[in-house]
Amino acid sequence: MDNLRINADRLWESLMEMAKIGGTKKGGVCRLALTDLDRQGRDLFTKWCEAVGCTVSVDAVGNMFARRPGRDPNRPAVMTGSHLDSQPTGGKFDGAYGVLAGLEVLRTLHDLKIETEAPVEVVVWTNEEGSRFAPAMMGSGAYAGVFSLEETLAKTDEEGTSFGQALRDIGYQGEGLGGRPCAAYFEAHIEQGPILEANAKTIGVVTGAQGQRWYEITLTGQEAHAGPTPMARRKDALVGAAKVVQGVNAIGHALQPGACATVGVLKVHPASRNVIPGECWLTVDFRHPDDTKLLEMDRRLRALVAQAAEEGGLTFKIEQIWEFPATPFTPELVDAVRRGAERGGYAHQDIISGAGHDAIYMARVAPTAMIFVPCEEGISHNEIENATPQDLAAGCNVLLNAMLDRAGVAT
Ligand code: HGY
Ligand code: MN
Ligand code: MN
């Protein structure tokens, strides 16, 4: 059963169909976790999976498992999957590609009437993006035991709606959490960076992922009148926040090669043009492939915030809300991906994932590896995100062959 091929047109059509759900004017997608648009995407996925004889189950945090039986129901399943939730100005392929590549594997096995020895499952993880509910990768994190069910369901969005309430509102709160017997988990994803395209490679053999830390920082000064208040008497929280934003960027540049440092959200209170800002709230996203450097970034951030506060007569609070270390994937599965790329005749290279993925948490509970394909100019988390049908099909062919390599084909 060497070197089977999926149906590239059908994969592309499914991606374009899914992209209509939450589609934006600029050609991207806004399908935030646990919104009605997320429900519509989940419903469509379920319909497609049931059409090829799969059963779909849902766990207590809304993770979905589409299962195709194998000859031996007692063998642990070979799994693949990703996420259907997107960023507010997200792209058509981030997450959806991994889910629909898994669906295309199910469809191809169905077409070819191939019975695998082990069951095959395709997973849709809840809230991978961490945009509406922070942190990211909550569904796979709860599944892997990183977050408790209680804390996951209790998380709230900006409007104060809880994760649990939103899950019930869309009708996707199932039962059970974790522990599904899994022989191997593969995840196909666009690279979301420029390396594969720059090196003219079709497949990224992902050996692991860099570590991440997320922070929420509050700087508090004193609201006052923008007119009569002398400059020397001001406690301007926004001036302090501006120093932190600049300093975070400087930490990223200082810890090269490898560091990434981003302030993605900055809120100013009371945000009135003739009031000196009394409070600022901002987020920091740090990443590095080396955990010791990530710790050094943490140290420098804490010193930076303390100094900015001291200079401005401000008080401050730093809360680290999330972290995970640099995560290696399973060498024998990484080899299976590399073999799949070689068999397919695809130009390939080893690569570390700069982005977080559900595979990072799956690696804590099962053998895990990822397959990357290039995206145009490495742009992602942007509505112009793009990839070619050929590259997406190549990644899906590698996925199919790597999964069969592990699941075995009943003779
Ligand atoms: O932030 C990430 O790396 C992922 O897109 N959630
Ligand atoms: Mn993603
Ligand atoms: Mn993403």
Side-chain angles (χ1 to χ4, degrees):
M1 283 284 167
D2 246 4
N3 221 357
L4 293 176
R5 286 280 186 267
I6 55 99
N7 182 326
D9 292 343
R10 182 171 57 191
L11 172 59
W12 181 259
E13 282 151 27
S14 300
L15 281 160
M16 294 308 110
E17 190 65 26
M18 183 60 76
K20 289 177 188 166
I21 301 176
T24 66
K25 286 200 190 70
K26 289 187 189 171
V29 167
C30 176
R31 194 168 53 228
L32 294 185
L34 303 182
T35 58
D36 193 61
L37 290 171
D38 188 7
R39 176 191 63 77
Q40 292 174 42
R42 290 162 172 262
D43 290 354
L44 181 58
F45 172 73
T46 300
K47 189 180 85 177
W48 280 341
C49 291
E50 290 175 343
V52 286
C54 296
T55 51
V56 179
S57 58
V58 180
D59 74 10
V61 296
N63 298 318
M64 302 169 71
F65 302 86
R67 183 176 176 92
R68 183 177 194 267
R71 191 192 59 76
D72 179 354
N74 300 315
R75 276 183 56 162
V78 171
M79 295 164 84
T80 187
S82 195
H83 59 96
L84 289 176
D85 66 301
S86 79
Q87 288 287 336
T89 53
K92 298 187 190 75
F93 306 100
D94 178 359
Y97 171 54
V99 170
L100 298 179
L103 170 68
E104 181 52 34
V105 166
L106 297 177
R107 285 169 163 170
T108 301
L109 295 176
H110 182 73
D111 288 350
L112 301 178
K113 297 186 179 38
I114 290 174
E115 184 183 33
T116 52
E117 282 292 342
V120 168
E121 292 189 350
V122 180
V123 191
V124 175
W125 299 107
T126 301
N127 188 41
E128 188 279 342
E129 291 293 1
S131 180
R132 181 183 176 194
F133 299 98
M137 297 148 50
M138 280 173 70
S140 52
Y143 178 87
V146 174
F147 309 121
S148 72
L149 176 59
E150 296 67 30
E151 69 179 309
T152 302
L153 298 179
K155 288 283 180 189
T156 56
D157 66 8
E158 289 223 313
E159 275 71 56
T161 304
S162 73
F163 182 107
Q165 185 55 55
L167 196 60
R168 286 185 292 278
D169 289 348
I170 67 166
Y172 272 90
Q173 181 162 36
E175 286 165 3
L177 187 57
R180 298 176 74 89
C182 175
Y185 174 80
F186 294 95
E187 182 163 350
H189 207 288
I190 54 172
E191 177 202 338
Q192 301 182 291
I195 296 168
L196 293 178
E197 185 182 62
N199 295 344
K201 301 288 189 235
T202 306
I203 299 294
V205 180
V206 191
T207 56
Q210 64 181 346
Q212 274 192 48
R213 286 177 183 237
W214 279 15
Y215 304 83
E216 292 175 355
I217 294 171
T218 306
L219 289 158
T220 307
Q222 187 178 50
E223 287 155 44
H225 197 304
T229 311
M231 293 307 286
R233 292 171 64 96
R234 294 178 177 214
K235 294 181 179 175
D236 188 329
L238 185 49
V239 171
K243 290 176 183 172
V244 172
V245 171
Q246 282 286 5
V248 163
N249 187 264
I251 291 170
H253 285 289
L255 273 291
Q256 291 305 311
C260 291
T262 312
V263 173
V265 182
L266 171 63
K267 292 180 188 163
V268 181
H269 178 81
S272 170
R273 62 192 70 217
N274 48 3
V275 175
I276 298 165
E279 186 164 280
C280 284
W281 180 91
L282 57 104
T283 63
V284 174
D285 176 321
F286 274 167
R287 310 200 188 191
H288 205 291
D290 176 339
D291 291 331
T292 55
K293 299 281 181 25
L294 201 51
L295 193 58
E296 173 59 16
M297 293 169 76
D298 176 274
R299 192 189 64 72
R300 294 190 189 196
L301 174 68
R302 294 178 190 279
L304 161 69
V305 173
Q307 186 181 343
E310 202 266 327
E311 287 168 0
L314 311 174
T315 58
F316 68 94
K317 190 175 96 176
I318 302 178
E319 195 185 353
Q320 181 181 286
I321 67 159
W322 185 44
E323 70 155 332
F324 61 80
T327 305
F329 290 145
T330 311
E332 62 179 300
L333 262 61
V334 173
D335 290 344
V337 170
R338 194 176 292 110
R339 270 198 310 280
E342 285 157 358
R343 262 190 241 156
Y346 301 120
H348 58 279
Q349 70 167 81
D350 288 8
I351 190 169
I352 289 277
S353 176
H357 299 287
D358 295 304
I360 289 164
Y361 280 149
M362 271 306 279
R364 299 195 182 192
V365 294
T368 295
M370 289 191 75
I371 301 160
F372 274 177
V373 295
C375 54
E376 199 171 304
E377 294 188 21
I379 300 286
S380 182
H381 284 192
N382 184 317
E383 292 162 277
I384 65 167
E385 177 188 278
N386 198 21
T388 68
Q390 294 75 16
D391 287 345
L392 296 167
C396 194
N397 283 326
V398 172
L399 176 66
L400 170 65
N401 288 290
M403 290 182 76
L404 282 181
D405 187 84
R406 311 312 290 182
V409 176
T411 45

